[in-house]
Amino acid sequence: MKKMFLFTLLAVLSLEAAAQASPKKTAENDVLKVTYSAPSKKGREVYGGLVPFGQVWRTGANEATEITFKKDVMVGGKSVKAGTYSLFTIPAEKEWSIILNSELKQWGSYGYDKIKDKNVVEVKANSMALTDLQELFTINATAAGFDIIWDKTKVSVPVK
């Protein structure tokens, strides 16, 4: 009985530790709300390594990041209706593709090829190098839209 209890306790603790490896986060302002899982750099090469250049990325960890617009908006100059979308990106060294897709509840970007016909909008956003390292992947809701920040890279996506 004690062994079973100990095994169960260890299993629960292991699951909790795994769940915290990339904690759930939200970023919100009066126009949008972003829900994502935040991985850590942990000494890894992020862009061009863990996150390959030129390939669709879930923009965080675990489930695909979801963004909700509380009203009709312009994202990168393109019209987007109020609603919730999966947020995918295609990182590159200088310019990223920002993709909003109507298919929700995706695990990562593994099934993206099957749902890319549901892309609502794809816009470009410049990336910029940061001098300070950002250990935890972060999305910030700003007055101008939202920022994607991790490692030594920041991408700002305008939303009006």
Side-chain angles (χ1 to χ4, degrees):
M1 181 70 150
K2 286 182 183 180
K3 285 182 182 179
M4 180 59 108
F5 174 75
L6 182 58
F7 176 76
T8 304
L9 179 61
L10 289 174
V12 169
L13 292 175
S14 294
L15 287 173
E16 287 178 5
Q20 294 304 314
S22 298
K24 263 306 203 200
K25 301 279 185 179
T26 59
E28 187 170 12
N29 62 24
D30 59 337
V31 177
L32 60 88
K33 178 180 180 181
V34 185
T35 305
Y36 63 100
S37 293
S40 293
K41 178 176 169 58
K42 297 180 185 173
R44 301 174 288 187
E45 178 185 355
V46 175
Y47 299 113
L50 178 66
V51 178
F53 288 129
Q55 293 183 23
V56 174
W57 180 42
R58 65 181 125 199
T59 318
N62 304 328
E63 301 89 5
T65 293
E66 290 186 356
I67 186 166
T68 301
F69 297 105
K70 301 172 186 177
K71 61 182 184 178
D72 294 352
V73 295
M74 299 291 284
V75 176
K78 294 187 179 179
S79 180
V80 177
K81 296 279 187 198
T84 301
Y85 304 91
S86 291
L87 172 66
F88 296 102
T89 53
I90 302 174
E93 290 186 52
K94 298 188 187 284
E95 185 179 67
W96 286 29
S97 293
I98 310 300
I99 302 165
L100 301 179
N101 185 286
S102 63
E103 186 74 25
L104 301 177
K105 307 298 180 202
Q106 295 299 301
W107 181 260
S109 57
Y110 305 109
Y112 177 77
D113 285 340
K114 295 177 184 173
I115 63 164
K116 65 184 175 184
D117 60 325
K118 295 183 179 183
N119 287 354
V120 174
V121 70
E122 184 172 341
V123 298
K124 301 292 185 185
N126 293 329
S127 67
M128 65 181 268
L130 302 173
T131 54
D132 293 330
L133 176 87
Q134 176 74 33
E135 173 68 24
L136 187 67
F137 174 81
T138 303
I139 297 178
N140 290 328
T142 68
F146 64 94
D147 294 335
I148 300 167
I149 307 167
W150 197 20
D151 195 7
K152 288 193 170 189
T153 300
K154 176 180 175 182
V155 177
S156 296
V157 182
V159 177
K160 295 181 182 181

Short mmCIF file of all heavy atoms in Angstrom, two decimals, residues 32-59:
data_model
loop_
_atom_site.label_atom_id
_atom_site.label_comp_id
_atom_site.label_asym_id
_atom_site.label_seq_id
_atom_site.Cartn_x
_atom_site.Cartn_y
_atom_site.Cartn_z
N LEU A 32 -6.83 42.58 -27.60
CA LEU A 32 -6.48 41.19 -27.85
C LEU A 32 -6.08 40.45 -26.58
O LEU A 32 -5.73 41.06 -25.57
CB LEU A 32 -5.34 41.09 -28.88
CG LEU A 32 -4.01 41.76 -28.53
CD1 LEU A 32 -3.10 40.83 -27.76
CD2 LEU A 32 -3.32 42.20 -29.80
N LYS A 33 -6.15 39.12 -26.68
CA LYS A 33 -5.69 38.25 -25.60
C LYS A 33 -4.96 37.09 -26.26
O LYS A 33 -5.49 36.45 -27.17
CB LYS A 33 -6.86 37.72 -24.78
CG LYS A 33 -6.43 36.76 -23.66
CD LYS A 33 -7.64 36.26 -22.87
CE LYS A 33 -7.21 35.31 -21.77
NZ LYS A 33 -8.36 34.80 -21.02
N VAL A 34 -3.73 36.83 -25.79
CA VAL A 34 -2.92 35.75 -26.33
C VAL A 34 -2.72 34.71 -25.22
O VAL A 34 -2.34 35.06 -24.11
CB VAL A 34 -1.55 36.25 -26.82
CG1 VAL A 34 -0.77 35.11 -27.48
CG2 VAL A 34 -1.70 37.42 -27.78
N THR A 35 -2.97 33.44 -25.53
CA THR A 35 -2.76 32.34 -24.59
C THR A 35 -1.70 31.43 -25.20
O THR A 35 -1.86 30.97 -26.34
CB THR A 35 -4.06 31.56 -24.36
OG1 THR A 35 -5.07 32.47 -23.92
CG2 THR A 35 -3.87 30.47 -23.32
N TYR A 36 -0.63 31.19 -24.44
CA TYR A 36 0.49 30.43 -24.97
C TYR A 36 1.21 29.68 -23.86
O TYR A 36 1.01 29.96 -22.68
CB TYR A 36 1.47 31.36 -25.70
CG TYR A 36 2.13 32.39 -24.80
CD1 TYR A 36 3.43 32.19 -24.33
CD2 TYR A 36 1.48 33.57 -24.43
CE1 TYR A 36 4.05 33.13 -23.51
CE2 TYR A 36 2.09 34.50 -23.62
CZ TYR A 36 3.37 34.29 -23.16
OH TYR A 36 3.98 35.21 -22.35
N SER A 37 2.05 28.73 -24.24
CA SER A 37 2.93 28.05 -23.29
C SER A 37 4.34 28.58 -23.52
O SER A 37 4.79 28.71 -24.66
CB SER A 37 2.90 26.54 -23.51
OG SER A 37 1.62 26.04 -23.18
N ALA A 38 5.03 28.88 -22.41
CA ALA A 38 6.31 29.59 -22.46
C ALA A 38 7.50 28.68 -22.15
O ALA A 38 7.78 28.40 -21.00
CB ALA A 38 6.28 30.76 -21.48
N PRO A 39 8.20 28.21 -23.20
CA PRO A 39 9.41 27.41 -22.95
C PRO A 39 10.57 28.31 -22.50
O PRO A 39 10.52 29.53 -22.68
CB PRO A 39 9.69 26.81 -24.33
CG PRO A 39 9.13 27.79 -25.29
CD PRO A 39 7.91 28.37 -24.61
N SER A 40 11.59 27.70 -21.95
CA SER A 40 12.81 28.40 -21.57
C SER A 40 13.92 28.04 -22.53
O SER A 40 13.94 26.95 -23.12
CB SER A 40 13.22 28.02 -20.15
OG SER A 40 12.28 28.50 -19.23
N LYS A 41 14.88 28.93 -22.64
CA LYS A 41 16.04 28.72 -23.53
C LYS A 41 16.90 27.55 -23.05
O LYS A 41 17.32 26.73 -23.84
CB LYS A 41 16.86 30.00 -23.60
CG LYS A 41 18.11 29.87 -24.46
CD LYS A 41 18.82 31.19 -24.58
CE LYS A 41 20.19 31.08 -25.21
NZ LYS A 41 20.25 30.50 -26.52
N LYS A 42 17.19 27.49 -21.78
CA LYS A 42 17.96 26.41 -21.15
C LYS A 42 19.28 26.12 -21.88
O LYS A 42 19.65 24.97 -22.10
CB LYS A 42 17.15 25.12 -21.08
CG LYS A 42 15.91 25.23 -20.21
CD LYS A 42 15.15 23.92 -20.19
CE LYS A 42 13.87 24.06 -19.42
NZ LYS A 42 13.03 22.88 -19.50
N GLY A 43 19.97 27.18 -22.29
CA GLY A 43 21.27 27.02 -22.92
C GLY A 43 21.24 26.55 -24.36
O GLY A 43 22.27 26.36 -24.99
N ARG A 44 20.04 26.37 -24.91
CA ARG A 44 19.92 25.87 -26.29
C ARG A 44 20.03 27.00 -27.31
O ARG A 44 19.73 28.14 -27.01
CB ARG A 44 18.57 25.17 -26.47
CG ARG A 44 18.37 24.00 -25.53
CD ARG A 44 16.98 23.42 -25.63
NE ARG A 44 15.99 24.30 -25.05
CZ ARG A 44 14.70 23.99 -24.89
NH1 ARG A 44 14.27 22.81 -25.29
NH2 ARG A 44 13.86 24.83 -24.35
N GLU A 45 20.43 26.64 -28.52
CA GLU A 45 20.36 27.58 -29.63
C GLU A 45 18.89 27.61 -30.04
O GLU A 45 18.33 26.57 -30.43
CB GLU A 45 21.23 27.12 -30.80
CG GLU A 45 21.14 28.04 -31.99
CD GLU A 45 21.91 27.53 -33.20
OE1 GLU A 45 22.61 26.50 -33.10
OE2 GLU A 45 21.79 28.16 -34.25
N VAL A 46 18.26 28.77 -29.96
CA VAL A 46 16.82 28.84 -30.20
C VAL A 46 16.53 28.95 -31.70
O VAL A 46 16.15 27.98 -32.35
CB VAL A 46 16.16 29.98 -29.40
CG1 VAL A 46 14.69 30.12 -29.77
CG2 VAL A 46 16.29 29.72 -27.91
N TYR A 47 16.69 30.15 -32.27
CA TYR A 47 16.32 30.37 -33.67
C TYR A 47 17.44 29.89 -34.59
O TYR A 47 18.59 30.24 -34.42
CB TYR A 47 15.97 31.83 -33.91
CG TYR A 47 14.80 32.25 -33.05
CD1 TYR A 47 14.95 33.18 -32.03
CD2 TYR A 47 13.55 31.67 -33.25
CE1 TYR A 47 13.87 33.53 -31.23
CE2 TYR A 47 12.47 32.02 -32.45
CZ TYR A 47 12.64 32.96 -31.45
OH TYR A 47 11.58 33.30 -30.66
N GLY A 48 17.06 29.06 -35.55
CA GLY A 48 18.03 28.42 -36.41
C GLY A 48 18.49 27.09 -35.83
O GLY A 48 19.27 26.38 -36.44
N GLY A 49 18.01 26.74 -34.63
CA GLY A 49 18.34 25.48 -33.97
C GLY A 49 17.08 24.78 -33.53
O GLY A 49 16.42 24.09 -34.30
N LEU A 50 16.71 25.00 -32.25
CA LEU A 50 15.47 24.43 -31.69
C LEU A 50 14.26 24.81 -32.55
O LEU A 50 13.38 24.00 -32.82
CB LEU A 50 15.29 24.93 -30.25
CG LEU A 50 14.04 24.50 -29.52
CD1 LEU A 50 14.04 23.00 -29.27
CD2 LEU A 50 13.92 25.26 -28.19
N VAL A 51 14.22 26.06 -32.96
CA VAL A 51 13.17 26.58 -33.85
C VAL A 51 13.83 26.88 -35.20
O VAL A 51 14.47 27.91 -35.35
CB VAL A 51 12.52 27.86 -33.27
CG1 VAL A 51 11.46 28.41 -34.22
CG2 VAL A 51 11.94 27.61 -31.89
N PRO A 52 13.70 25.97 -36.16
CA PRO A 52 14.39 26.15 -37.45
C PRO A 52 13.86 27.36 -38.23
O PRO A 52 12.67 27.67 -38.18
CB PRO A 52 14.08 24.86 -38.21
CG PRO A 52 13.62 23.88 -37.19
CD PRO A 52 12.99 24.69 -36.09
N PHE A 53 14.75 28.02 -38.93
CA PHE A 53 14.34 29.09 -39.83
C PHE A 53 13.59 28.49 -41.01
O PHE A 53 13.88 27.37 -41.46
CB PHE A 53 15.55 29.86 -40.36
CG PHE A 53 16.21 30.73 -39.33
CD1 PHE A 53 17.58 30.67 -39.12
CD2 PHE A 53 15.48 31.63 -38.57
CE1 PHE A 53 18.20 31.48 -38.18
CE2 PHE A 53 16.08 32.45 -37.63
CZ PHE A 53 17.45 32.37 -37.43
N GLY A 54 12.59 29.21 -41.49
CA GLY A 54 11.87 28.81 -42.69
C GLY A 54 10.83 27.71 -42.51
O GLY A 54 10.29 27.23 -43.49
N GLN A 55 10.56 27.32 -41.26
CA GLN A 55 9.55 26.29 -41.00
C GLN A 55 8.46 26.82 -40.08
O GLN A 55 8.73 27.64 -39.20
CB GLN A 55 10.20 25.06 -40.36
CG GLN A 55 11.15 24.34 -41.29
CD GLN A 55 11.73 23.09 -40.67
OE1 GLN A 55 11.17 22.51 -39.75
NE2 GLN A 55 12.88 22.66 -41.17
N VAL A 56 7.25 26.33 -40.28
CA VAL A 56 6.12 26.76 -39.44
C VAL A 56 6.37 26.35 -38.00
O VAL A 56 6.78 25.22 -37.72
CB VAL A 56 4.80 26.15 -39.95
CG1 VAL A 56 3.65 26.47 -39.00
CG2 VAL A 56 4.48 26.67 -41.33
N TRP A 57 6.13 27.28 -37.09
CA TRP A 57 6.33 27.06 -35.66
C TRP A 57 5.04 27.40 -34.92
O TRP A 57 4.33 28.34 -35.26
CB TRP A 57 7.48 27.94 -35.17
CG TRP A 57 7.81 27.83 -33.72
CD1 TRP A 57 7.87 26.71 -32.95
CD2 TRP A 57 8.14 28.91 -32.84
NE1 TRP A 57 8.23 27.02 -31.66
CE2 TRP A 57 8.40 28.39 -31.57
CE3 TRP A 57 8.24 30.30 -33.02
CZ2 TRP A 57 8.76 29.17 -30.47
CZ3 TRP A 57 8.61 31.08 -31.94
CH2 TRP A 57 8.86 30.50 -30.68
N ARG A 58 4.75 26.67 -33.87
CA ARG A 58 3.54 26.89 -33.05
C ARG A 58 3.61 28.18 -32.24
O ARG A 58 2.64 28.56 -31.60
CB ARG A 58 3.31 25.70 -32.15
CG ARG A 58 4.42 25.54 -31.11
CD ARG A 58 4.22 24.36 -30.24
NE ARG A 58 5.39 23.51 -30.27
CZ ARG A 58 5.40 22.25 -29.90
NH1 ARG A 58 4.31 21.67 -29.47
NH2 ARG A 58 6.48 21.55 -29.95
N THR A 59 4.77 28.81 -32.20
CA THR A 59 4.98 30.08 -31.50
C THR A 59 4.81 29.91 -29.99
O THR A 59 3.94 30.51 -29.37
CB THR A 59 4.06 31.20 -32.06
OG1 THR A 59 4.04 31.12 -33.48
CG2 THR A 59 4.58 32.57 -31.65
#
